[in-house]
Amino acid sequence: MFDTNMLHNALNILITLSALLVAILLATGCTQLADGLLECSQSFIGPGYAAGAIAALSALKIAVNIMRDGVAGLIKPQPPVDN
């Protein structure tokens, strides 16, 4: 059987790394404008890549949750973890 918990945790790590990518964008020359947009003409990486990666990974994580627990599982209380 496929381990959805492992995939779920891997996606959490990738989403966190995506946030790191945004930090890298800012460090490589992107600037945030007053309206919140990123201006990256001085950077070698475009912000669209980071936005696309974050959106795709987040959507995949939600899809895994739905496949594992169904749509109702998105809002049901989780059982306690046994130690």
Side-chain angles (χ1 to χ4, degrees), residues 8 12 38 45 51:
H8 193 265
N12 281 337
L38 288 179
I45 305 170

Side-chain angles (χ1 to χ4, degrees), residues 2 8 13-14 17 20-21 28 40-41 46 62 68 71 82:
F2 185 69
H8 193 265
I13 291 167
L14 291 173
L17 292 175
L20 177 62
L21 178 59
T28 60
C40 291
S41 60
I62 291 169
R68 181 177 61 188
V71 176
D82 292 330

